[in-house]
Every structure is written in structure tokens, then in C-alpha cells.
Amino acid sequence: MEGTMKRCRCWFNGISLFLHPLIITVLIISMCMANIGNVDAAFSNLTTIPFNQGYSPLFGDGNLVRSPDGKGVRLLLDRFTGSGFISSNLYNHGFFSANIKLPSDYTAGICVAFYTSNADVFEKSHDELDIEFLGNTEGKPWRFQTNIYGNGSTNRGREERYRLWFDPTKDFHRYSILWTPQITIFYVDDVPIREVERREEMGGDYPSKPMSLYTTIWDASNWATSGGKYKVNYKYAPFVAEFKDLVLDGCPADPIQQIPAAEACAEKYALLATQDYSVITPQRRAAMRRFRQRYMYYSYCYDSLRYPVPPPECVIIAAERARFKDTGRLKFGGSHKRQSKRRTRNRNRVLPDSDVTPY
């Protein structure tokens, strides 16, 4: 970030004689923050699919509204139920992505989740990759977290929490998960925000079984905002999350198939490896570093209260460790519970509390 600021200052030297110093400062900061986004155009040519071709309602059918063109969907949360949808297939790895616009105004207690899971198939040994948006009181920004589970390792949460450099309620932004046998990358727009490399020491903690893509909105009052201090206020309902430009680019799989995934999906794996989003270029890595320095406010890797010895996939950076030394007091919601496709309107899904002390 410091290097970027220096370059920006140099760019402005030529016009500094004509502008007020305060204006120059504002322009420098604005231009430098823009460097976090707009890294490249790698995501401009994604192949999207209509809702009906790849997804089906999961629960709260009356609160799931398809767009007129069939390319998007709105999920509503009211006092009766939330809502959600699920991919029609399970996938042996892949790229999962959507343009999402979050509810505005008072959103405390709300969780909007975009995640992969196989809990319906492997109830006691499921895998999961999460992007969870956490609402806030009016005037305060949304925050979000990513997480990873493998083989039922829900007692070893790998949460990271972040702020955003934009208002996610004003316009659509793309959120993506790349999951391969070797690496998992979470993206916001075209910025990689988290990279998890599979290491032998992780054992079954790295997701390896076929998963479906889930998207939900639901009442998480018991943990989502300030550890459960602020609840959903249905005076502001319905809360609406919008999704469009949906991407499912993976290897469809039968969870009980006899053919090894490496053999059945070899062609698809090779194709995924050629995609722009599969490579973190030096430019993207610099953008990821800037994002994590400025917007990440919790990482399990530095939470010595939970993990006196960091999990094996953690890459410890001394500057980050010093910055996060006191962050082991967050409250998390744990893994997603199993969802029925025939969910009734008067039942809301609520995640269990974890044993982590609320802050």
C-alpha cells in the first residue's frame, strides 16, 4: 500500500501547484483505493446460466422471486421465513459465482450466505466452503466472513472476517469461490481475498467430496451482529437479497460414484486450470495483500485463544500476527444445518452457537 501511495503522489506532482492540498489528498486516497478493485477484466467473459437450468428452490418458495428474464432471483426474509436455492447437481470441484446485491438500511441479525456443502449427503462428515454476509444496524456497513470445513471438521472453524471497500447495497458485485483439488480461492469482484492451499498435514480437513452450491437469506440473530447483541427487526421486513449472472463451472458428480474424481473429471480439471481466475498473478497477489492489510479484521490463524498452535495451512506473517493479537473474542455461527427442499413458511433456519466467547 505504501508503494502505491508513493506512485500516486508522484503522479500528482505535476498538478500539485494548481490544487488545494486537501483536494490533492482526497484524490490520492480515492485513486489508490481504486487499485484494490478493477485488477483486470478476467471476470468479464464468464459463462452464466439461467436460474431454471442450474438451480431449484431450497426453502421459503413464496419468498423466492425469479426475474422476468429468468437470469436472476430475489430472496426475501420476513417474519415467517427466509428463503434459498440450491444447484441441481453436486460438483467435484469447480468455480461458483454470482453477482449479488444485499439488503439496505437496518439489517442486524441477517445472514446472506453463498456457499458449497454436501451436508445433505454426508451428515457426519460433510465438506463446506462459505461466504457469509453479516448484517448491521442502520448506518453501519455489512461485514462478511469466509470459512472452510472438510470431512465434518466443524469443531475446527477456519473463519476470516472482513469489511468491504464499497457499499454492497448500492449495486451488484461479484462474489466467487474457486475450488480445485489443490487450492481454494475466494474472490470479491476480480480481487482474490483469500487463498487456501491443500497441505498433506490438513488430512481430511480440506474439502474433497462433491458439493452443491447453496444461496440463502435467514435470521441469524443469535450470533451475526455483535455476537448476537443486535437482533433482526422485522419492522424493516421484507429484507431482499438479489442474485444474477449465476455461474456454475464444475464437474457434475454422483456422490456415491465408483469412478475416482481425478479420472472422471480430468478433462474439466484441465479446463479449469486454463481459466484466468485459476491463477493469482503478481498484480492480483498485490491486490490481495492490500485488501487483507486494510479490510481483514479477524483471522483464525492469529487467534491463539482458539488455536495455540496455528493450523497447518496457515502462513504466518509477523506484521499480521502483531495486528491480530487481541482478536480471539468473536462469536461464530458454526456450520450450516441440513436444509430440506420442502421447508415450510413458519420455520426459520438458525445456526448453532459456537463455543467461542462473544465479544
Side-chain angles (χ1 to χ4, degrees):
M1 186 65 189
E2 182 179 352
T4 302
M5 292 293 288
K6 288 180 180 178
R7 290 193 295 272
C8 293
R9 291 191 187 100
C10 291
W11 188 87
F12 277 98
N13 280 343
I15 60 171
S16 60
L17 295 177
F18 304 98
L19 295 176
H20 188 280
L22 179 60
I23 296 176
I24 293 175
T25 301
V26 171
L27 289 173
I28 288 174
I29 294 175
S30 298
M31 192 180 90
C32 293
M33 288 303 98
N35 285 335
I36 289 182
N38 302 319
V39 174
D40 51 43
F43 291 9
S44 61
N45 297 315
L46 296 175
T47 301
T48 63
I49 60 173
F51 180 83
N52 288 340
Q53 288 188 16
Y55 309 88
S56 59
L58 178 65
F59 71 105
D61 292 16
N63 281 359
L64 187 153
V65 182
R66 295 171 177 82
S67 63
D69 62 6
K71 296 181 179 179
V73 65
R74 304 171 78 194
L75 295 182
L76 282 64
L77 168 67
D78 58 27
R79 65 179 64 254
F80 300 104
T81 185
S83 52
F85 60 87
I86 183 175
S87 61
S88 302
N89 293 314
L90 289 91
Y91 293 87
N92 249 326
H93 306 98
F95 180 75
F96 312 94
S97 183
N99 269 323
I100 303 174
K101 184 179 179 183
L102 299 175
S104 59
D105 301 321
Y106 186 98
T107 56
I110 295 173
C111 180
V112 176
F114 181 83
Y115 67 103
T116 63
S117 178
N118 49 33
D120 282 346
V121 181
F122 305 100
E123 294 187 38
K124 296 182 179 180
S125 60
H126 84 282
D127 305 307
E128 193 171 305
L129 295 167
D130 296 325
I131 298 178
E132 295 174 311
F133 303 95
L134 309 177
N136 217 329
T137 55
E138 192 166 7
K140 294 186 178 180
W142 280 82
R143 300 183 180 190
F144 74 108
Q145 68 180 27
T146 60
N147 205 351
I148 176 172
Y149 297 108
N151 202 35
S153 59
T154 57
N155 63 325
R156 294 186 294 279
R158 289 174 160 86
E159 297 92 347
E160 288 188 348
R161 282 194 179 176
Y162 326 87
R163 302 175 183 89
L164 288 162
W165 65 94
F166 53 82
D167 184 345
T169 73
K170 298 297 185 184
D171 204 353
F172 285 89
H173 288 268
R174 181 164 292 282
Y175 305 89
S176 310
I177 301 171
L178 172 67
W179 171 48
T180 77
Q182 294 82 30
I183 198 168
T184 296
I185 304 173
F186 296 87
Y187 281 95
V188 175
D189 289 330
D190 51 10
V191 178
I193 64 166
R194 179 179 183 181
E195 176 187 29
V196 180
E197 292 187 24
R198 183 176 193 169
R199 296 193 177 186
E200 184 177 351
E201 296 85 353
M202 292 180 71
D205 282 8
Y206 187 87
S208 60
K209 298 185 292 295
M211 292 192 282
S212 299
L213 186 281
Y214 293 79
T215 300
T216 59
I217 182 172
W218 52 282
D219 186 329
S221 289
N222 61 330
W223 68 276
T225 306
S226 296
K229 179 179 180 180
Y230 300 102
K231 315 294 184 183
V232 174
N233 187 339
Y234 286 102
K235 178 180 72 174
Y236 298 93
F239 304 97
V240 181
E242 302 179 65
F243 303 81
K244 67 177 184 178
D245 305 323
L246 306 166
V247 177
L248 284 175
D249 190 4
C251 180
D254 182 338
I256 58 174
Q257 65 184 354
Q258 299 299 315
I259 303 175
E263 180 181 342
C265 298
E267 184 176 345
K268 190 62 182 181
Y269 290 171
L271 182 60
L272 276 175
T274 66
Q275 302 303 306
D276 288 337
Y277 49 69
S278 293
V279 179
I280 299 185
T281 63
Q283 185 181 21
R284 287 180 183 161
R285 192 162 296 281
M288 181 168 66
R289 183 174 61 252
R290 288 193 295 268
F291 171 84
R292 293 174 69 83
Q293 289 174 345
R294 186 168 182 85
Y295 297 104
M296 183 172 71
Y297 68 93
Y298 174 84
S299 172
Y300 71 103
C301 287
Y302 302 106
D303 190 342
S304 59
L305 296 182
R306 296 175 74 189
Y307 302 109
V309 177
E313 72 279 4
C314 290
V315 177
I316 302 301
I317 300 172
E320 289 186 353
R321 181 169 54 190
R323 184 156 55 97
F324 291 123
K325 63 180 180 180
D326 296 323
T327 58
R329 298 181 177 87
L330 298 182
K331 186 175 182 180
F332 303 100
S335 174
H336 292 268
K337 285 186 175 180
R338 180 180 179 183
Q339 277 292 0
S340 169
K341 293 185 179 181
R342 296 179 293 278
R343 196 75 183 231
T344 58
R345 281 188 59 86
N346 63 348
R347 294 172 63 196
N348 282 337
R349 182 182 66 178
V350 178
L351 296 189
D353 283 337
S354 73
D355 293 329
V356 181
T357 306
Y359 61 98

